[in-house]
Amino acid sequence: MQRTKAAAGRVIVLACLVLSGCAPAPELPRAPIPLRNPTAPVASQANATLERLQGSWIVVQGAGLTPGAELAFAGDRVTIDGAALPVRDLSAGRFSLAGEELWVHWLDADDRTAAIGEPGGARVWIMDRTGAPRERLDAARGILDWYGYDLGRLSGS
C-alpha cells in the first residue's frame, strides 16, 4: 500500500512537470484599438538586424509596452521586465517576438534609439539605450507619424 501511494505521488509530480512545460509563453499586451492607420505607407529599415539590437534598452514612449520597461536582446531571447521571450530574425528589419511579427521602423546610425511597431497597429514603442534620446526622439516620432501611427496614444515623455 505504501509503495502504491509513493508511485501515485511520483505520477502526480511528473504530470505537473509535464504540464508546466506546456504552459503558454508570456504574450505581449495588445492595444484594444489599432494604433496605426492601415491606409498609410509602412516599411521596415532593411539594415536593422537583431545583431544591432543586442544589449539593453529602455522604452521611452509606447503603446503596448509601458514607458520605463527594460528590454534586453541577447541571442535568440528578449527579456522584457524579467520575462524572457523567444526572438527570431526574419530579415530586412523584421523579427518575430514570441511569434508576433514586429518591424524596426527606424534605428539611428549608432544603434542608440529605435522605433519598433507591429505593422497592423497592435503595439508600437520607441526605445533608447540610455532612456534619454534627446533629438533622436523627434526623428523616431516623425517616422512613426509618417507610417500612420497615432502618436497621441503613446505614453511617456
Side-chain angles (χ1 to χ4, degrees), residues 1 8 19 29 40 42 48-49 54 67 72 82 88 102 109 112 118-121 131 134 136 141-142 150 155 157:
M1 184 68 157
L19 290 175
V42 67
T49 63
Q54 296 296 300
R88 187 169 51 93
L102 295 169
R112 299 169 294 172
E118 192 274 324
R134 297 187 307 272
R136 295 184 308 276
R141 288 178 59 84
D150 182 353
S155 301
S157 57

Side-chain angles (χ1 to χ4, degrees), residues 6 10-12 14 25 27 33 35 56 60-61 70 80 82 99-100 103 115 120 126 131 143 156:
R10 284 192 296 271
V11 168
I12 290 170
L14 180 61
E27 292 183 6
I33 299 170
L35 298 160
S56 298
V60 293
Q61 290 188 355
E70 296 180 5
I80 302 174
E100 181 176 344
W103 293 8
I126 299 168
I143 292 290

Side-chain angles (χ1 to χ4, degrees), residues 72-94:
F73 287 76
D76 65 350
R77 296 269 177 234
V78 175
T79 303
I80 302 174
D81 283 341
L85 302 170
V87 66
R88 187 169 51 93
D89 199 336
L90 301 175
S91 81
R94 300 170 186 193

Side-chain angles (χ1 to χ4, degrees), residues 129-148:
R129 300 273 185 194
T130 66
R134 297 187 307 272
E135 74 284 348
R136 295 184 308 276
L137 180 60
D138 292 336
R141 288 178 59 84
I143 292 290
L144 294 177
D145 185 47
W146 174 259
Y147 288 150

Side-chain angles (χ1 to χ4, degrees), residues 20-67:
S20 69
C22 297
E27 292 183 6
L28 295 170
R30 292 186 163 279
I33 299 170
L35 298 160
R36 198 181 81 72
N37 176 347
T39 65
V42 67
S44 59
Q45 184 174 319
N47 70 349
T49 63
L50 281 180
E51 185 175 298
R52 290 181 64 189
L53 294 174
Q54 296 296 300
S56 298
W57 297 85
I58 300 168
V59 174
V60 293
Q61 290 188 355
L65 276 185
T66 307

